[in-house]
Amino acid sequence: METMWWLRQTRSLLIVPVFKCLVAICLVISLLVFVESVYMNIVVLYVKLLKRKPEKTYKWEAMQEDIEQGGQNFPMVLVQIPMYNEREVFQLSIGAACRLIWPLDRLIVQVLDDSTDPTIMEMVSMECAQWASKGINIKCERRDNRNGYKAGALKQGMRHSYVKQCNYIAIFDADFQPEPDYLQRTVPFLIHNSELALVQARWKFVNASKCLMTRMQEMSLNYHFMAEQESGSTRHAFFGFNGTAGVWRLAAMEEAGGWKDRTTVEDMDLAVRVGLHGWKFVFVNDITVKSELPSQFKAFRFQQHRWSCGPANLFRKMTMEIIHNKRVMIWKKLYVIYSFFFVRKIIVHFFTFFFYCVILPTSVFFSEVNIPTWSTIYLPFMITLFNAIATPRSFYLVVFWVLFENVMAMHRTKGTFIGLLEGGRVNEWVVTEKLGDALETKLLPQVKKPRNGILERVNTKEMMVGIYILCCACYDFAYGNTLLYIYLSMQALAFIICGFGFVGT
C-alpha cells in the first residue's frame, strides 16, 4: 500500500506537472510554426494575385548576338557538374550541360569527377572526350582525395586558371538535366541587375510517380519551393541555395570567401555568407530543371540526415557571425536567425516528432492533462492544407503524407540534435544513390543487386516507436473516451511499415 501511495504521489506531484509543462511548450511551438506557415503563404498569395514575377521585379532582357562580334557580347559562363561514381546518370548530366544554348566560345563545362571506380572514371573521360570532339569546351577535373566531399571538389574546381575568365557559374548535380534554354533565361537576371548574386530554378521530379514515397517527397519539396523559397525571394531577396540548378555571380562568391567544407550543407553555408554581404537572390519558379528523387528508403534516410544535421550545425557555427554582421539590416538578421534557421530548420523537426509521436500518444495515460482541439486538429489541418496546395494532383494522398512526414521527423530530429551538439555523425556524407532507370534511359547496363532478407531490412528505431504508439492506441481504445486511438493506430502502422522497410522501391 505504501508503495502504491508513493507512486500516486510521484505521479501527481512530479510526472503530471512535468508532462503538462511539455504540452504547454508544444502548444507555444505549434503557434510559432503555424504563424510562420501563414506568413509564407500570404506572401505567395500576394505574388500570385499581383503576378509579381521576377521578370517584373528585376530587369530582364534576352541576350542577342551582335551582328559584327557574334557572341562576344555574351559573358563567360562556367557549368560545374560534381559527381561521384554516378554510373547511371553521368551521361545524362554531361549531355544536358553540353546542349545548353550559349555561344560555344563563351561556355566552359567542368566535370568534377571524384569517382573511385576505375571503370566509371574511364567512361566519364570517354564521354567528355566525345563532347570535346563536337566543339564543346569541356574539362574533366580529378583530385587525388575526397577531402570536403562535394564542397572540396567545388573548391578545387575554382582554382583552375580558366575559371578566372568566367563571370557566372552554373552548378548541376549529377542527376540534374537543365533544359537547353536554361542559361538564356537565368543569366540575364545577373547581367542586368548588379545587386543579384544568385538565380535559383525550381526542381522538377521525373520519377515522382515511381512509388508512394517519391510522391510524398514531391509534396514536401514542392511546398519548400512554393512557400519557403518564393516567399524568401519576394520578401527578403534571400533563401538557401539548393546546391544545384542555380547560377552564381563569381564576384559574390569570392567576396564571401568561396566554398567551405565545415558542414555537410556547403550550399546553404555559401548562401548565408553571401547574403550577409548584402547580395540579393532571386528564385524563378517558372524555370524548372529535371532531377531524380531517391526511391529507396535507406537512401532517403541518409539524405534527410544530411539535410537536417547540416543546417543545425551551420546554425551553431554562424549565429554569432550573423548577430555581429554590420552589412545588412537588423530585420534581415532577425529573419535569417529566427525564421530561416530557428523555426524552419530546428524547431519544426523537434515539434513534429515529439508532439505527434511522443506527447500525443503518451497523453492517453494522463487523463488529467487536456490537450486543446485547436492544437491537434485545426492548426495541423491548416498547415497540411497549405502543403497540399503546392501539389494539387496528390491532394488525395494527404493523410499518407502526414503519417510519412511524422516518421521522417524522427530521423530529422536525430540529425538536428547531432548537428547542434556536433555529434559523431555530424560530418557524415553518404551520396544519394541514383537509379537512372527513373529517367527512362537504357544508356548503361543496370546491375541487379541481390534482395536482402526481411530481418536485414528491419529498421529498429521505427519499429520501437511504432510498437510504443500501437500500445498507446490499444490503451486509449480500451480505457479512453476519445477517438485518438484512430490516429494513433494509423501512425503506428506507418512506423511499423517503415520499420520493416516496406516503403520505396
Side-chain angles (χ1 to χ4, degrees), residues 325-343:
N325 182 273
K326 304 294 184 182
R327 298 182 183 91
V328 297
M329 297 284 290
I330 188 172
W331 298 113
K332 188 167 185 177
K333 290 194 285 185
L334 287 173
Y335 168 75
V336 174
I337 292 175
Y338 172 77
S339 182
F340 180 77
F341 272 118
F342 184 67
V343 175

Side-chain angles (χ1 to χ4, degrees), residues 129-188:
Q130 288 182 10
W131 283 104
S133 66
K134 298 177 182 179
I136 302 297
N137 187 359
I138 185 169
K139 315 283 186 181
C140 183
E141 307 291 0
R142 293 191 172 94
R143 51 190 185 137
D144 55 8
N145 60 73
R146 288 200 68 222
N147 295 341
Y149 303 106
K150 178 182 173 181
L154 291 167
K155 188 175 182 179
Q156 182 67 31
M158 298 290 287
R159 293 174 178 168
H160 296 281
S161 57
Y162 56 82
V163 175
K164 301 303 178 183
Q165 308 171 33
C166 302
N167 307 100
Y168 309 112
I169 299 176
I171 302 172
F172 301 102
D173 283 349
D175 57 324
F176 279 71
Q177 297 84 45
E179 297 296 330
D181 64 349
Y182 175 84
L183 294 179
Q184 292 179 314
R185 299 181 65 185
T186 55
V187 173

Side-chain angles (χ1 to χ4, degrees), residues 368-380:
E368 309 96 320
V369 179
N370 177 44
I371 300 180
T373 305
W374 60 262
S375 67
T376 57
I377 297 179
Y378 302 134
L379 293 194

Side-chain angles (χ1 to χ4, degrees), residues 277-321:
H277 276 76
W279 292 93
K280 294 182 178 181
F281 304 165
V282 61
F283 171 73
V284 189
N285 187 66
D286 293 338
I287 302 177
T288 59
V289 178
K290 296 177 183 176
S291 65
E292 178 182 343
L293 293 164
S295 59
Q296 296 179 334
F297 188 52
K298 184 177 180 180
F300 183 57
R301 286 174 64 187
F302 278 125
Q303 182 199 68
Q304 293 304 295
H305 170 81
R306 189 172 78 247
W307 285 7
S308 56
C309 179
N313 191 233
L314 183 63
F315 178 63
R316 172 193 171 110
K317 286 179 164 66
M318 290 205 69
T319 301
M320 296 311 297
E321 183 179 339

Side-chain angles (χ1 to χ4, degrees), residues 434-500:
K434 291 89 178 177
L435 301 181
D437 57 341
L439 303 177
E440 300 181 353
T441 177
K442 300 298 180 182
L443 293 174
L444 296 171
Q446 299 294 318
V447 179
K448 292 187 177 180
K449 299 179 181 178
R451 291 186 177 182
N452 296 327
I454 292 180
L455 292 178
E456 295 178 9
R457 291 168 50 185
V458 169
N459 302 303
T460 55
K461 297 182 184 67
E462 286 89 342
M463 290 297 297
M464 291 171 62
V465 176
I467 292 172
Y468 174 72
I469 296 177
L470 183 61
C471 291
C472 295
C474 293
Y475 183 90
D476 188 59
F477 178 75
Y479 302 105
N481 56 2
T482 66
L483 299 178
L484 184 60
Y485 65 85
I486 297 176
Y487 158 72
L488 295 180
S489 300
M490 292 191 297
Q491 189 62 73
L493 183 61
F495 269 99
I496 292 171
I497 289 173
C498 292
F500 278 117

